[in-house]
Amino acid sequence: MSKRHFAQIAAYIYEVSGIKMPETKKTMLEGRLRRRLRAVGIDTLDGYCDYLFTGDHLAAEGLHLINAVTTNKTDFFREPAHFDYLVAHALPALEARGVRALRAWSAACSTGPEPYTMAMVLDDHAERMGGPDYGILATDLDTEVLAAARNGIYAAELVDPVPPALRRKYVMTSNDPRRREVRMVPRLRSAIGFGRLNLMDDRYPVGDAMHLIFCRNVLIYFDKPTQKKVVSQLYDCLAPGGYLFLGHSESITGLGLPLEQVANTVFRRGA
């Protein structure tokens, strides 16, 4: 891919998704785009770039391009200290504020392990404590991972991090032992609404205010101005006393936002 075409595609990716694509990622980008060459019947990356930015191809192909370049690393119970804090501190504090219908949002859900982990924790807590009721919104920019998340089917080894008691309660195994697959129980799948949302949008149409927002390991792909824009809009979606969970290497230091840090990469909106 020529430098001109790389710069053109990198600028488009940044404009649409906020993801910075420096020259050091040129080889990675080329590798991810090669499957799109086969899909559209073009032989070279430069030919693909010419195709992308001529006529009206960008309207349809741009979605596939963004799907190809997004990173979708995710695990069940990733950064488990967050879920410990959720049960020990955040949920009791929200219940003390009178929250009986809790709204939670996984803002970069990938193939679904994060929102299903949230659902396991919230459902188990509600069963033990007699509430609160809960609903989860799970969004992502990538339409392909959203389709996988809706199905709730995973390779069996992916649920190894799930505590055994929760695995027995919420994970179904196949009747055919040759199929090393599991599926989340219907109760969890029905508790989560999946939809496409771009964090670069000027507003997030998520409905009523959220009590919990998980947006983890996303800000690391953004520059400082984009980080401030995204976190400011996430703040606007938080209910008073609501919690924002970021990734272990992410920070809001220097962004000047009215969020109180209450634990490592956990922040609370004031009353």
Side-chain angles (χ1 to χ4, degrees):
M1 184 190 302
S2 69
K3 284 190 174 183
R4 178 177 67 85
H5 280 136
F6 174 76
Q8 194 175 18
I9 282 195
Y12 174 76
I13 292 169
Y14 178 73
E15 178 186 355
V16 172
S17 70
I19 297 172
K20 296 288 284 185
M21 195 66 59
E23 286 263 359
T24 53
K25 293 190 176 181
K26 183 170 181 284
T27 301
M28 179 273 287
L29 178 63
E30 290 173 338
R32 293 193 179 187
L33 292 182
R34 290 194 187 279
R35 63 176 178 146
R36 294 308 307 161
L37 301 190
R38 294 189 293 272
V40 298
I42 293 174
D43 293 332
T44 68
L45 286 165
D46 284 324
Y48 175 78
C49 295
D50 288 334
Y51 166 85
L52 186 66
F53 294 108
T54 57
D56 58 357
H57 298 136
L58 192 59
E61 183 59 24
L63 178 62
H64 296 295
L65 168 64
I66 296 301
N67 284 354
V69 300
T70 49
T71 299
N72 295 301
K73 175 72 173 78
T74 183
D75 298 291
F76 286 88
F77 280 87
R78 188 178 189 183
E79 301 180 39
H82 279 165
F83 299 101
D84 293 339
Y85 183 88
L86 178 61
V87 172
H89 302 286
L91 291 178
L94 289 169
E95 289 161 24
R97 294 179 68 95
V99 174
R100 297 293 176 261
L102 186 145
R103 300 194 76 231
W105 178 17
S106 171
C109 71
S110 185
T111 54
E114 179 177 87
Y116 285 119
T117 298
M118 294 164 67
M120 290 181 198
V121 171
L122 293 176
D123 193 84
D124 182 68
H125 177 85
E127 188 176 82
R128 289 185 292 103
M129 306 302 292
D133 293 334
Y134 70 95
I136 298 171
L137 173 66
T139 65
D140 203 277
L141 180 63
D142 187 328
T143 56
E144 293 179 0
V145 298
L146 282 170
R150 286 189 186 96
N151 286 333
I153 298 173
Y154 300 95
E157 61 269 18
L158 289 184
V159 299
D160 286 348
V162 178
L166 297 184
R167 205 181 312 157
R168 288 191 295 270
K169 188 186 293 189
Y170 298 118
V171 178
M172 302 182 296
T173 57
S174 173
N175 291 328
D176 183 351
R178 294 170 298 180
R179 296 184 60 184
R180 293 283 298 155
E181 289 182 338
V182 298
R183 192 175 197 189
M184 300 300 107
V185 297
R187 181 157 93 247
L188 294 193
R189 301 201 308 272
S190 64
I192 304 171
F194 292 95
R196 186 175 188 268
L197 186 143
N198 188 346
L199 292 172
M200 294 300 99
D201 289 346
D202 290 333
R203 57 180 297 273
Y204 302 153
V206 297
D208 293 339
M210 296 289 173
H211 302 101
L212 305 170
I213 299 177
F214 280 63
C215 186
R216 305 188 300 169
N217 306 301
V218 179
L219 299 182
I220 54 175
Y221 298 105
F222 300 153
D223 57 19
K224 278 288 184 183
T226 306
Q227 289 177 0
K228 183 170 184 176
K229 172 186 184 295
V230 169
V231 178
S232 295
Q233 292 184 196
L234 293 174
Y235 173 86
D236 289 341
C237 295
L238 270 177
Y243 293 83
L244 172 65
F245 294 77
L246 300 180
H248 69 280
S249 61
E250 296 171 327
S251 171
I252 63 169
T253 301
L255 298 185
L257 297 170
L259 286 163
E260 175 193 5
Q261 183 164 355
V262 294
N264 185 30
T265 61
V266 182
F267 304 87
R268 182 174 59 202
R269 176 171 176 160

